[in-house]
Amino acid sequence: MWREVLFAGLGGFIGSVLRYLAGKGTAALHLTSFPAATLTVNLLGCLLIGIFWGLFDKTRLSGASESAFLIAGFCGGFTTFSSFADEIWRMTDRGAWLTAILYLSVSIIFGILLVATGRYLVK
């Protein structure tokens, strides 16, 4: 069990650092208050988790360590649904309901489609 904990922690560290860098890079490109950085990272994370699970299903080589590193660790550290929820709350708190609904809808619909795409790409 401790091996999986260490793998999850290492994956989480890498995912969190890449999420931070991706967020900074994406935010620097956008001059609006729309949370494009979080949207980009969440959608990319959905694609990656789909690819990882698809590879695990296809190769039957996933063990507890690989899953801990890639899924719980890397993807868990990289995607930011807590930030996502907070941003939606802040949008609705300031009365930007249409933006919040658009952001929520695009994130969920495209997130699910990209998970499916990731699984399809490795078939």
Side-chain angles (χ1 to χ4, degrees):
M1 177 177 146
W2 287 108
R3 178 183 167 105
E4 288 81 24
V5 169
L6 292 174
F7 274 94
L10 178 60
F13 172 77
I14 294 168
S16 295
V17 168
L18 288 176
R19 189 273 176 262
Y20 177 79
L21 294 173
K24 289 294 184 185
T26 304
L29 299 175
H30 301 286
L31 303 174
T32 68
S33 62
F34 187 79
T38 302
L39 178 62
T40 301
V41 168
N42 281 339
L43 294 177
L44 181 56
C46 289
L47 177 62
L48 289 174
I49 204 167
I51 288 171
F52 294 151
W53 279 121
L55 286 171
F56 290 166
D57 289 346
K58 182 178 181 178
T59 63
R60 308 269 190 252
L61 293 177
S62 82
S65 295
E66 292 87 356
S67 178
F69 179 79
L70 291 172
I71 305 298
F74 179 79
C75 287
F78 185 68
T79 58
T80 55
F81 276 96
S82 58
S83 295
F84 169 74
D86 181 62
E87 288 164 344
I88 290 174
W89 180 86
R90 284 187 282 133
M91 286 177 198
T92 60
D93 189 52
R94 67 175 190 259
W97 285 92
L98 185 58
T99 302
I101 291 167
L102 175 65
Y103 181 43
L104 177 68
S105 300
V106 168
S107 295
I108 292 171
I109 291 167
F110 280 94
I112 292 167
L113 288 173
L114 287 170
V115 166
T117 300
R119 288 176 169 265
Y120 176 79
L121 288 174
V122 296
K123 283 190 175 185

